[in-house]
Amino acid sequence: MDGLIVGLDLCDTYTQVSCMGKDRVWSFATQICKKKQENRWMIGAEAYELLLSGEGISADKLLSMARRERTVVIDGENIKGRELLQKFLKLVLAQVQKEYASSRIQQLVITLPGIDTQIMDRLLYCADYLGISRGRFHVISHGESFLYYVLNQKKEVWSSYVGLFDLSRQGLRYYEMKVQKGIRQTTVISDYENFDGPFDLNLLETETGIRKADRMLCSFAEGLLAKKLFSAVLLTGIGFEKQEWAEDFMTMLCRRRKIYGESNVFVKGAAYRAQDYVTIPSEFPYVMICEGRLKASVSMEVMHKEKLTPLVIAAPGDNWYEVRTTLEFILDNQKELVFYIQHLDSRKKNEVVISLEEFPSRPNRTTRIQMRVAFLDERTMVVMVQDKGFGELFPASNAVIRKEISL
């Protein structure tokens, strides 16, 4: 099926776009501009020129605006942040589609510095606005993009630990990846740590500031890299476009480590992830554990064909925002639901019980329930159980029990 396979890195200050099979990486300020008294919206160089001429009104930090559902007044009109983000993404993708003479997006993966239910809701509205079906629209974290970027490099790059320092206008963050090979499966794990305190890129404008920034980097990296064998360390973000200023930091990194500078890690990783969605079977049949994916399994035991059978509700490596399950059961001498939670690095199963005592008392096997499961984030599961009765003999009360379960 023809169409563009697109990765899009969406941050408050910048947005990048990369298409599989294409060399160019597009970059835009995450800003939109409206020409006064006209229904014309612009981004990129056109928006900048319009602002310089005094004929435009702009809005920036569109990701934060959409997440917080803020409303701004532009040219006398109240516009929601979600709507501005929709317009911005449409203009971004329109430029890319025009360049490559393609009217269809086959797969779009958007990568973000962090994922929560608020921004997921806003972005799903964006998918509808863009005319991209939910099966072709996905959202992942920077941590997951990092994994896919590295896994698409030569294996010697990720034979041991891989570190990534990201220095952007949002601050300094460190990602770390490791591969755990097991008998039945291989698990790829990434985690991150933020620099404790602000890291202002304005420091790099003076000699004194540069020396201070170099010391801060060294202090941050020293504890993270100690006593670990790294096959590669990557540097990304606007702060590392030039690396000469971080003299002591670079000297420390280069001790028995391979260092790579790559300004497009996240957007390229998103494009690789988009490609993997259309590759069957996947080229990377690993369990991925990172921000945005579950670190534990959730299961139940149910009777199926007169046999007690484990039923997996969610598994390690599942995207928490894509796990939405609806199941129906008939209760058999049961006044509670029992969930078993097992973390990836533990053999112990924790039990969580949801009491059904609130439901009407009926003879055995005459109560049907509907259970819906979703996640608020990678650590919090929501279970909603509804009484559906049993036909005309035992009408449904439609009583609902809702419980949040911490993983």
Side-chain angles (χ1 to χ4, degrees):
M1 192 176 292
D2 294 332
L4 293 174
I5 296 175
V6 183
L8 189 150
D9 181 16
L10 178 61
C11 301
D12 255 345
T13 55
Y14 72 86
T15 295
Q16 291 185 321
V17 184
S18 176
C19 299
M20 287 300 298
K22 314 294 183 182
D23 293 332
R24 181 175 179 182
V25 173
W26 300 68
S27 188
F28 305 88
T30 308
Q31 180 180 34
I32 193 167
C33 181
K34 181 181 184 294
K35 189 170 184 179
K36 294 178 180 177
Q37 307 303 317
E38 295 185 23
N39 190 27
R40 289 181 59 196
W41 296 87
M42 302 177 189
I43 60 171
E46 288 183 340
Y48 183 68
E49 291 175 5
L50 196 65
L51 285 172
L52 285 180
S53 69
E55 298 180 30
I57 305 170
S58 74
D60 58 6
K61 296 185 178 180
L62 303 182
L63 187 62
S64 289
M65 285 184 61
R67 175 181 274 117
R68 298 168 186 168
E69 197 68 315
R70 287 179 53 196
T71 299
V72 294
V73 179
I74 296 181
D75 209 16
E77 181 183 2
N78 291 325
I79 304 180
K80 293 181 179 180
R82 180 182 69 200
E83 296 170 350
L84 291 174
L85 184 59
Q86 290 171 348
K87 295 178 186 293
F88 172 77
L89 290 175
K90 187 170 186 177
L91 290 170
V92 166
L93 293 175
Q95 287 199 21
V96 176
Q97 289 172 289
K98 182 179 178 181
E99 174 75 12
Y100 300 126
S102 177
S103 60
R104 186 175 187 275
I105 304 293
Q106 184 179 356
Q107 284 287 332
L108 173 62
V109 170
I110 296 179
T111 183
L112 306 172
I115 301 176
D116 53 42
T117 52
Q118 288 81 10
I119 197 58
M120 279 302 308
D121 287 344
R122 313 298 184 263
L123 287 173
L124 289 176
Y125 278 112
C126 289
D128 297 337
Y129 180 82
L130 296 168
I132 301 175
S133 65
R134 301 290 173 89
R136 297 185 289 119
F137 181 91
H138 306 273
V139 181
I140 65 175
S141 66
H142 274 182
E144 186 166 344
S145 294
F146 167 50
L147 289 185
Y148 274 91
Y149 176 85
V150 174
L151 291 172
N152 274 273
Q153 310 307 309
K154 294 179 181 179
K155 282 194 174 182
E156 54 261 33
V157 173
W158 44 278
S159 59
S160 298
Y161 283 91
V162 180
L164 170 67
F165 289 91
D166 175 27
L167 182 54
S168 67
R169 296 200 182 279
Q170 282 70 49
L172 174 62
R173 177 178 283 189
Y174 170 76
Y175 296 87
E176 189 170 278
M177 167 183 160
K178 61 181 178 180
V179 178
Q180 294 181 343
K181 294 183 178 180
I183 298 175
R184 297 182 179 179
Q185 64 184 24
T186 297
T187 304
V188 185
I189 302 171
S190 83
D191 206 348
Y192 70 87
E193 186 168 336
N194 290 317
F195 179 72
D196 187 15
F199 196 110
D200 192 344
L201 290 182
N202 292 329
L203 286 171
L204 307 185
E205 296 178 1
T206 66
E207 288 297 326
T208 302
I210 285 174
R211 289 193 294 272
K212 180 179 179 181
D214 197 6
R215 289 195 301 270
M216 291 164 68
L217 272 178
C218 289
S219 176
F220 183 53
E222 190 172 13
L224 295 169
L225 305 180
K227 298 180 181 179
K228 291 179 182 176
L229 179 62
F230 284 80
S231 50
V233 175
L234 284 66
L235 305 176
T236 195
I238 189 173
F240 288 127
E241 287 182 350
K242 295 181 180 179
Q243 299 157 14
E244 296 82 2
W245 63 270
E247 185 175 348
D248 291 343
F249 174 68
M250 294 302 296
T251 300
M252 182 183 68
L253 286 188
C254 290
R255 294 172 188 160
R256 295 179 295 171
R257 303 184 186 97
K258 292 183 179 180
I259 312 301
Y260 301 90
E262 172 57 80
S263 58
N264 306 311
V265 168
F266 301 127
V267 69
K268 288 184 176 179
Y272 291 139
R273 182 67 183 105
Q275 176 67 52
D276 201 49
Y277 274 113
V278 298
T279 303
I280 301 174
S282 169
E283 294 184 5
F284 309 101
Y286 312 136
V287 176
M288 304 284 194
I289 303 297
C290 57
E291 184 185 11
R293 291 187 179 239
L294 300 179
K295 298 177 177 63
S297 66
V298 181
S299 63
M300 304 173 67
E301 289 186 341
V302 298
M303 291 297 296
H304 179 65
K305 295 182 179 179
E306 304 302 322
K307 183 180 179 181
L308 198 60
T309 305
L311 174 65
V312 177
I313 306 297
D318 286 349
N319 291 100
W320 63 261
Y321 50 85
E322 293 184 351
V323 177
R324 294 181 180 275
T325 303
T326 301
L327 299 166
E328 291 195 352
F329 305 104
I330 294 176
L331 299 182
D332 186 2
N333 286 321
Q334 196 168 359
K335 290 294 184 180
E336 61 188 23
L337 297 179
V338 181
F339 295 87
Y340 299 97
I341 299 170
Q342 184 174 14
H343 287 267
L344 191 66
D345 56 357
S346 173
R347 294 183 178 181
K348 181 182 177 182
K349 289 184 179 181
N350 297 321
E351 290 188 11
V352 176
V353 177
I354 296 180
S355 172
L356 304 179
E357 293 289 346
E358 296 177 28
F359 288 169
S361 179
R362 302 187 181 102
N364 191 35
R365 296 193 180 187
T366 59
T367 295
R368 182 167 55 94
I369 62 170
Q370 182 186 77
M371 182 182 77
R372 287 177 289 170
V373 176
F375 286 80
L376 298 179
D377 53 45
E378 62 207 47
R379 299 180 184 86
T380 311
M381 181 175 75
V382 177
V383 180
M384 296 186 69
V385 187
Q386 185 175 12
D387 171 38
K388 306 294 285 187
F390 200 82
E392 295 181 359
L393 291 174
F394 300 96
S397 69
N398 289 321
V400 175
I401 297 171
R402 181 185 186 277
K403 184 168 182 178
E404 293 186 11
I405 297 174
S406 176
L407 303 188

